[in-house]
Amino acid sequence: MPERPATPSWFPSTPGEEPPDPPLSVWPTGQRDLATQLRDADCVRGTDIDTDLIPPAIAAHAIATYTRPGDLVLDPDCGAGSVLVAALQSGRHALGLTANSRWWKLARANITAAKAAGAWRDGSVLDAHPKVLATIHAAGLIGRVGLVLTAVRTATDDSGEHATGPDHDPIAAVEELAATLAYCEPLLRSGGHLVVVARPHRQPDGSLVDLTTALIAAGTSAGLAPVDRCVALTAGLRGNRLVTRASLADRRAVARATGAALALTAHHEALVFQLAHDAELAAAAADSHWPTEDEIATRPAVNGVDYPGWRRAA
């Protein structure tokens, strides 16, 4: 996959101007621990109980990279609302959905806190399943969403505890997410992106679950094209080494594994998708040749006329 979003927005706009640096494939989002991030984002007490939430720094980085001020950011399974807070604080509109009553209360409280702190964009959270996005109730959202940003969520009850059993493993959660991605595809505006953030999960033997393959398949089946695969650090950078801040669940998983040396995880995975036709157009544009100043100067005239539009087009 490319190391930057497949979008023509980074093409040079004036002669001699270099395109901006492409977005990083490694996001430096782990320079503060999660508790500090939640506190600095003014999230309400209890937000940290949502163990599947997207850390505020990761949400803010994705929003800054893939949206413009005033865009609409949608999280179709928003949990406690960390994405909604990051969107409002970045000057974007925010809409979240959750059918979990505990998460709905927390997300609503977080939106209220963000607005009280000065965020003036529109933000709301609906007590609803993602499938409502495929009904007439969401007709006004078609083609309006600049970014869908959501996490892979394993099943939880209202206490916030993760359910166990074969029906609630991470791969099953991705299969449920596949339907949600299909609901979101018609809502994306042209040039919009859909980003799925997945925290690492381990098998009983301690090995990491391959969520990437399942997520790419889920996005493709929803009519989306994968355009980027990024690593969002949850560890701090200290010179040439990482300061790991693994969760308690991950530490326990490593402790249970026997017979193999295992490293603590230091990142979340971020899979970036676009509408299939947008990705095709961007790929075609990226393959086109942009003439240099020397090529423009030496280009022969047509019928004896040197058209100035060539220079503007370059």
Side-chain angles (χ1 to χ4, degrees), residues 29-240:
T29 51
Q31 304 316 297
R32 296 172 297 160
D33 61 86
L34 180 59
T36 301
Q37 291 183 38
L38 292 173
R39 184 183 67 246
D40 291 348
D42 294 324
C43 291
V44 299
R45 181 177 299 179
T47 301
D48 59 331
I49 297 175
D50 181 7
T51 54
D52 281 326
L53 65 76
I54 298 178
I58 294 178
H61 186 95
I63 291 166
T65 301
Y66 297 107
T67 66
R68 301 184 295 261
D71 273 350
L72 173 59
V73 176
L74 168 66
D75 187 345
D77 196 358
C78 68
S82 60
V83 168
L84 310 182
V85 172
L88 291 173
Q89 292 176 341
S90 300
R92 279 70 167 170
H93 301 292
L95 174 63
L97 286 78
T98 179
N100 183 304
S101 61
R102 182 166 194 162
W103 299 155
W104 180 81
K105 292 175 183 176
L106 282 169
R108 185 179 180 185
N110 275 319
I111 289 175
T112 301
K115 290 187 174 182
W120 59 274
R121 293 291 184 180
D122 182 41
S124 58
V125 56
L126 304 181
D127 182 6
H129 289 279
K131 63 183 178 182
V132 77
L133 297 173
T135 69
I136 191 65
H137 299 291
L141 295 176
I142 295 175
R144 290 189 53 208
V145 177
L147 174 66
V148 176
L149 177 58
T150 195
V152 175
R153 290 188 165 274
T154 54
T156 56
D157 56 27
D158 281 353
S159 69
E161 295 297 324
H162 283 266
T164 58
D167 294 333
H168 300 292
D169 62 35
I171 296 298
V174 173
E175 292 173 354
E176 294 178 8
L177 179 64
T180 299
L181 302 187
Y183 303 148
C184 293
E185 191 268 351
L187 308 183
L188 282 175
R189 64 166 171 77
S190 180
H193 292 80
L194 185 149
V195 178
V196 180
V197 176
R199 67 181 181 87
H201 291 266
R202 292 189 183 274
Q203 304 278 12
D205 63 358
S207 61
L208 290 172
V209 178
D210 177 18
L211 293 179
T212 302
T213 300
L215 284 171
I216 291 175
T220 303
S221 68
L224 299 163
V227 295
D228 217 344
R229 177 182 176 183
C230 303
V231 166
L233 291 180
T234 56
L237 291 169
R238 299 293 183 272
N240 59 356

